[in-house]
Amino acid sequence: MGDTRGGCCPSMDLFRSEPMQLVQLIIPIESAHRTISYLGDLGLLQFKDLNADKSPFQRTYAAQIKRCGEMARKLNFFKEQMLKAGLSSKSSVSEVDINIDDLEVKLGELEAELVEINANSEKLQRSYNELVEYKLVMQKAGEFFSAAQSSAVEQQREFESRRTGGDSIEVPLLLEQESFVDQSKPVNLGFLSGLVPREKSMAFERILFRATRGNVFLKQAAVEDPVADPISGEKVEKNVFIVFYSGERAKNKILKICEAFGANRYPFTEDLGKQAQMITEVSGKLSELKTTIDIGLLHRGNLLQTIGEHFENWNLLARKEKAIYHILNMLSLDVTKKCLVAEGWGPVFATKQIQDALQRAASDSNSQVGPIFQVLLTTEAPPTYFRTNKFSSAFQEIVDAYGVARYQEANPGVYTIVTFPFLFAVMFGDWGHGICLFLATLYFILREKKLSSQKLGDITEMAFGGRYVILMMSLFSIYTGLIYNEFFSVPFGLFGRSAYACRSPDCSDSTTMGLIKVGSTYPFGLDPVWHGTRSELPFLNSLKMKMSILLGVAQMNLGIIISYFNATFFRNSINIWFQFLPQMIFLNSLFGYLSLLIIIKWCTGSNADLYHVMIYMFLGPTDDLAENQLFPGQKNVQIVLLLLALVAVPWMLLPKPFLLKRQHEQRFQGQSYAPLPSADDSLELDSHHDSHGHEEFEFSEVFVHQLIHTIEFVLGAVSNTASYLRLWALSLAHSELSSVFYDKVLVLSAGFNNIIILIVGIIVFIFATVGVLLLMETLSAFLHALRLHWVEFQNKFYEGDGYKFHPFSFALLNEDDE
């Protein structure tokens, strides 16, 4: 039973959940906030929601929760800004010395300042990027105009030289016609310049040509390095373009196309002198902006660094405050509206601690009225609370994943600490692989403080959370591997020399026909001489198959025995006599007897066929056993066991429904009011009566339920025993896979006498061992061990329909991200 003693250091009892009690607290409003805060520090009270019929907006402290949510939003904003700046939050050693109201004002001021800095920084950065692009346009376009002007001067000189040469037949007629061109009507060409993303430059050129029907001239020049886009701020590869056009209509089309392609346009002058002057002015502005931006970034970094030094404490304070008001919203107001009434579940041992917290809160709040603490009587099922540590918590999670134990029900987690890793090891038995698992787990355990504070990947996080489960699995794998005498499928004579030797010089290890026993039996595990012989596989088959049956029957008997302890604890004599006893008789009359025959055969070395014995135990119980007889009087024993198994079935089925009906009638006979049932009352009776009045007993429903339960147990005894043969199958599969990788990869590569092939073989062997045997086979054996516990073991006694104890605790706020 759980420890019912008070005090702060009760014993760690995992076999049954802690005794729980429903308590009522009447708290003055002036000390309510501090009281909930102290109870959150204590973390041993699960509050009930007394305002479940109200929406979140109708509750008393909805405004305060909204304030806390706003503070959480600001803190998240600060966290995002720190991540962008590459800063991390630091946990201050000193305690939070700030009021929540002051913190709200502080966060508002910091947010406003940071938003203003960001806005100014964005404007300055955009102006800086625009000036950088403007400078590039002036440089590239200036080079184009300079080259065009030089080319025009050369053409003009050539033209003048030809005119001064006089008229001749060699002078083209076109040149003569050019002299008659009307200079009073010059052609007016306009141009636009800017930058366009390089990936859009070809499409940009095609669209311009089509939209203007070829009446434009486009010149592009690639910018060597990517430039920051003023709008997006991202680095983009761009081209400088300059496009010449004629007429306002063409200009409007070009402007729309530039806007559609995200081309940034910048003004430009044809005058080379003004170009140089503008480049100088832009360079000066860039230098000034760069200095201003650097100063702003430095100021922003200092501000974020200051925030980071207090961020963890501020965040914790805001989350605590929100959690406190969330609990206060679950409390109901007294009719005088001067007190808050709370109800919740707490362990019995924490009674003194809860009362101390209440008194301390009232004293610190200078409350004129003290709080009231009282225990309530209720028929409601309490939550289940097991106090675990970092070693046992992972095993408890394996059980809770199937279902949380009913209050005060026997906890399978205690037995799982031993049985789960052992059944895993039966399937994974190899002490070489076990050592590899052990070393990997040892790394997690030695660095658990550092790793527990880091963000790990999903798979790594699961492995780290179950590090102590894997540790036990590895230790048991080393143990079973020593029994199987397998080290990466290779046998070793660790415990002495083999008991067998060759009878003659022509004896070969390929057969056991020439081996004779020359010494004492190998002291521990399988004799190494059996590995690699023709008889190895049949021998291991027989050994592991029979061992699987023995382990399965033993664990199922353990489950039935635990059901007896449950019935004894709840003082349920009906379950003891009409569930535990017939189940134990039925199971052991058949499969317990089979286990006994296996042990006798091992001890006597008999050649009896156990398949024949068990089959004809049903088909011909009076037939002579002949050479299959293992002990005197075996036939009579089998007849008695068969009759007991047949009697056990109606024994389970018939009496229990009638006895439950009779017990129900006696409970309410001659009573106007039913007494409050205690925690020790029958679990079955709880479903057939109501504590507030007499409820009709549904005999047919109870009988059908018992019929289903009986059929399920009878058929399950057979199927569950067969299910344990997976221990044999997976153990052989693991051994054969390991042997294949060793013989067909490592040994085969060593036989080529080539260092390169040997190195390749070693690499393939390592990857195959890690990938298949240490990862896939580990997962496979884990899942099969999980199934054996959830189905074959726990269905004998475990209801698993309870609900877990979730106390209000500030310690849990560090684990849950809101």
Side-chain angles (χ1 to χ4, degrees), residues 52 117 137 142 169 179 244 371 623 779:
I117 292 174
V137 168
I169 352 183
S179 62
F244 294 89
D623 294 349
L779 180 60

Side-chain angles (χ1 to χ4, degrees), residues 47-60 326-333 341 343 380:
F47 287 91
K48 294 178 64 176
D49 190 359
L50 303 181
N51 298 314
D53 56 333
K54 295 182 180 180
S55 68
F57 304 103
Q58 295 174 327
R59 304 200 180 198
T60 309
H326 177 70
I327 294 298
L328 287 173
N329 269 341
M330 298 169 66
L331 311 187
S332 63
L333 271 173
V341 180
E343 290 183 8
E380 183 182 350

